[in-house]
Amino acid sequence: MKMVDQTALPTRFAYVSCTTPEQVASAIRTMVVRGAPAIGVAAAMGLALAAQRSRASRVPDLIRDMEATAALLRSTRPTAVNLFWGIDRVMRKAKAADTVGEARESVVAEVRAMADEDVEANRRLGRVGADLIDDGDTVLTQCNAGALATVGYGTALGVVRAAIEQGKFVKVLVPETRPALQGARLTAFELSRDRIPCTLIADTAVGHMMSLGRVDKVFVGADRITKDGYVFNKIGTYQEAVLARRHRVPFYPAAPRSTFDLARTHGQVTIEERGAEEVFMIKGRRIAPKRVPVANPAFDMTPPELVSAMVTERGLIESPFASGISRLMS
Ligand code: MRU
């Protein structure tokens, strides 16, 4: 399988080929591929690769080989539920097969279906969200919730794309998104490439821009939305939501069904802690004194009371969110 190397952007647009599930796991862990829907489908592809490479001639042996790979893929990143959703979907298909040949074929077909469904869901949720955007709006986002983070089109940026397709003029304010800089490196790249007007800002400028009235709406993606309506997304999202409430700016997470976790409440989610070097190094140079303690939570949690509505391919979910999620997503 081939994927865009997101660690090389925006300097270099290069593809990485993975021929083993171990390479796929490493690509997910090191964020060669990142973004919740993208890692869900990538993990599913990694598992399909395991099915093809297994020497098993009986279904139980194939399942055992695939379970070992599934465990490796599950250990790569803990927060985005799409990763677990993708793996579970492929495992279910394999377990339903009568022969090894049938299992191999059906897992590949399942992964193809998942990839197509992701683009379709994003286009649909894009149209749902676009109705919330007025001509001339400036939309604030966070991280990269665009085509790069999905199989195509994007979630939060899919909403922007759909609004533009409706003939509206929309401008995007892009926080750099320290420490991994997905905003500066990926969202600014993706939007500029598609000629969508955007302005890059430092993360620290978000409150000031809102206080000047320069943000009309906030649209962000999500890595997991729990059944009690809490939104887990890239670190910095929560402070955007708090500031949005202070300045009466609507705050909308946009996410497909695969991002909803109907089995868990917010207290049961692990927020990924990434390496300290992401914080104390910039472009290979240390920017903080040696031995200073560093915390690097990669995601944060926005409570439902700060959410104006959730944009999904099945329609808008409004408060009270727990019942809305259960009604629309079950
Ligand atoms: O650490 P990342 O880059 O994988 O985090 C990605 C995000 O937080 C995105 O906002 C989220 O996955 C939604 S992508 C459509």
Side-chain angles (χ1 to χ4, degrees):
M1 61 182 277
K2 237 168 94 175
M3 52 180 94
V4 175
D5 180 358
Q6 299 197 38
T7 61
L9 288 171
T11 333
R12 221 162 30 88
F13 189 95
Y15 288 96
V16 168
S17 285
C18 295
T19 52
T20 67
E22 291 72 25
Q23 287 170 344
V24 177
S26 161
I28 295 172
R29 189 171 279 124
T30 57
M31 289 163 75
V32 164
V33 57
R34 36 68 49 203
I39 64 174
V41 175
M45 286 182 178
L47 202 47
L49 263 180
Q52 311 311 309
R53 292 171 62 90
S54 164
R55 296 215 177 107
S57 54
R58 294 171 51 244
V59 173
D61 298 332
L62 178 74
I63 300 299
R64 200 199 47 228
D65 288 352
M66 288 178 71
E67 289 286 13
T69 298
L72 170 71
L73 291 163
R74 282 195 184 99
S75 72
T76 53
R77 299 194 73 189
T79 308
V81 75
N82 309 59
L83 181 90
F84 305 92
W85 162 89
I87 294 168
D88 291 346
R89 243 179 101 161
V90 172
M91 284 310 303
R92 266 199 305 275
K93 273 284 158 193
K95 284 177 184 167
D98 291 326
T99 65
V100 167
E102 190 195 316
R104 288 201 176 108
E105 265 176 40
S106 71
V107 299
V108 169
E110 186 71 353
V111 174
R112 290 215 169 102
M114 287 164 68
D116 292 346
E117 283 168 26
D118 183 59
V119 179
E120 185 48 38
N122 294 338
R123 285 193 181 276
R124 266 203 233 133
L125 75 81
R127 287 193 288 274
V128 170
D131 291 340
L132 300 166
I133 294 186
D134 294 310
D135 189 24
D137 270 355
T138 296
V139 165
L140 174 74
T141 190
Q142 175 69 348
C143 191
N144 172 265
L148 286 164
T150 59
V151 179
Y153 204 68
T155 56
L157 297 188
V159 172
V160 169
R161 285 199 169 90
I164 291 171
E165 283 164 21
Q166 288 179 349
K168 294 168 185 165
F169 179 83
V170 187
K171 195 171 135 188
V172 185
L173 214 48
V174 183
E176 56 186 346
T177 315
R178 279 278 292 149
L181 298 171
Q182 291 93 332
R185 295 188 303 102
L186 307 175
T187 298
F189 168 82
E190 182 176 329
L191 293 176
S192 316
R193 205 165 107 127
D194 287 352
R195 299 190 195 289
I196 297 174
C198 65
T199 301
L200 179 65
I201 56 171
D203 295 329
T204 39
V206 166
H208 176 67
M209 294 307 248
M210 282 204 199
S211 75
L212 295 180
R214 286 169 63 177
V215 178
D216 297 300
K217 272 131 208 173
V218 181
F219 281 90
V220 294
D223 287 79
R224 187 185 299 238
I225 300 177
T226 49
K227 64 179 180 180
D228 51 351
Y230 284 71
V231 179
F232 292 79
N233 192 47
K234 180 52 54 196
I235 192 77
T237 302
Y238 171 60
Q239 61 205 35
E240 286 189 6
V242 172
L243 284 162
R245 180 54 54 95
R246 167 80 173 87
H247 296 287
R248 296 192 174 79
V249 173
F251 175 86
Y252 301 112
R257 170 66 186 86
S258 54
T259 300
F260 284 80
D261 183 349
L262 302 188
R264 280 172 200 80
T265 56
H266 66 281
Q268 299 169 299
V269 178
T270 303
I271 291 193
E272 179 182 9
E273 181 75 28
R274 292 189 63 86
E277 67 292 344
E278 285 187 356
V279 178
F280 71 66
M281 309 274 277
I282 292 185
K283 284 173 131 186
R285 270 193 62 193
R286 176 179 277 278
I287 52 142
K290 283 187 181 153
R291 286 185 289 279
V292 69
V294 172
N296 186 16
F299 299 95
D300 59 26
M301 178 182 87
T302 299
E305 59 268 23
L306 296 179
V307 173
S308 306
M310 296 173 185
V311 180
T312 82
E313 74 275 34
R314 300 185 187 179
L316 274 190
I317 303 178
E318 287 172 311
S319 179
F321 290 102
S323 54
I325 290 170
S326 150
R327 207 173 39 250
L328 219 61
M329 292 297 157
S330 294

